[in-house]
Amino acid sequence: MSRKKIVAGNWKMNTDLSQSIDLINQLKIKTKQFSHIEKIIFPPFPFLKTASDSLANETNFFVGAQNCSQHIKGAFTGEVSAEMLNAVACKFVLVGHSERRNFFNETDEQLILKIQQAQKNKLTVIFCFGEKLEERKNNKHFETVKQQIEMVLKNFSATELATIYLAYEPVWAIGTGETATPQQAQEMHAYIRKIIAQLFSNAVAEKINILYGGSCNAQNAAELFSCADVDGGLIGGASLKTDDFCKIISSF
Ligand code: PGA
């Protein structure tokens, strides 16, 4: 079964308005030949509308948000709802990124509600998870990932899973320059597919897109993307540099 090839850029709390416009304009030109790769960028909230307007006529090039509220609407100062994201033509949303889990104490219960809100508003979710360094050192990485996936995804049906991508992001690799080896990535991605098969079915597991994230860059992307169960990357730092991001896109 052939799955999509996907490269997603998580800009985090970086860029200003003119830098984000510049980055998007350059990407539009330099990624023209890669229309077969699904490209997604995740700019900060204030730049989403500008980004989606600019990409409106592009092929296979989408805008996503880095987070959404678990609530529908109301007195939640500072929050942004999934409905608002849909209104500015966002097609994707990240849920469960380790920075949200660790710095903002997001719990599995909140992640479930966020995914429900995203789905009600036609957003494809990239559900992120991954073990911390301590857990890997203590050989608890499989157990940790299994629990992170099961606690959240057991609340969804196979049909609902069709609009969820997964992103395995070992916390020890995020922003550290230390990447999982292709062997480590493949081993975990194959394991993730096994968990999905157990929770749903083999067919669902074969179909679901699983991205790798954590210091994926222009140098190591080709090796990581050549792994059988790695369907692409969720890129942080390297997504802020046009040439690096384009090189990653060209790595399949
Ligand atoms: P990184 O970030 O590529 O800078 O390690 C990845 C992520 O946090 O999604």
Side-chain angles (χ1 to χ4, degrees), residues 10 12 94 97-99 128 169 173-177 213-216 234-239:
N10 175 9
K12 308 192 181 183
L94 298 180
H97 190 281
S98 70
E99 286 150 20
C128 311
E169 298 202 297
I174 296 178
T176 59
S215 298
C216 182
L234 178 54
I235 321 297
S239 72

Side-chain angles (χ1 to χ4, degrees), residues 186-201:
Q186 171 53 29
E187 186 185 35
M188 184 58 89
H189 282 228
Y191 178 70
I192 292 164
R193 246 181 248 293
K194 207 171 95 187
I195 298 168
I196 299 297
Q198 284 161 1
L199 270 179
F200 300 94
S201 69

Side-chain angles (χ1 to χ4, degrees), residues 115 119 123-127 152-153 156-157 159-166 208-209:
I115 295 176
Q119 296 204 316
L123 301 172
T124 295
V125 168
I126 301 189
F127 175 55
V152 172
L153 294 189
F156 296 92
S157 68
T159 315
E160 287 165 334
L161 216 65
T163 56
I164 301 180
Y165 297 178
L166 306 181
I208 197 158
N209 295 111

Side-chain angles (χ1 to χ4, degrees), residues 36-82:
H36 58 295
I37 310 285
E38 184 167 281
K39 300 163 291 293
I40 313 156
I41 51 168
F42 292 86
F45 284 131
F47 311 143
L48 289 176
K49 171 91 167 79
T50 307
S52 59
D53 284 350
S54 176
L55 295 179
N57 296 319
E58 297 297 306
T59 309
N60 229 353
F61 199 159
F62 305 102
V63 175
Q66 299 169 21
N67 182 29
C68 73
S69 175
Q70 72 203 68
H71 303 288
I72 300 172
K73 64 188 287 189
F76 300 102
T77 303
E79 288 288 273
V80 174
S81 72

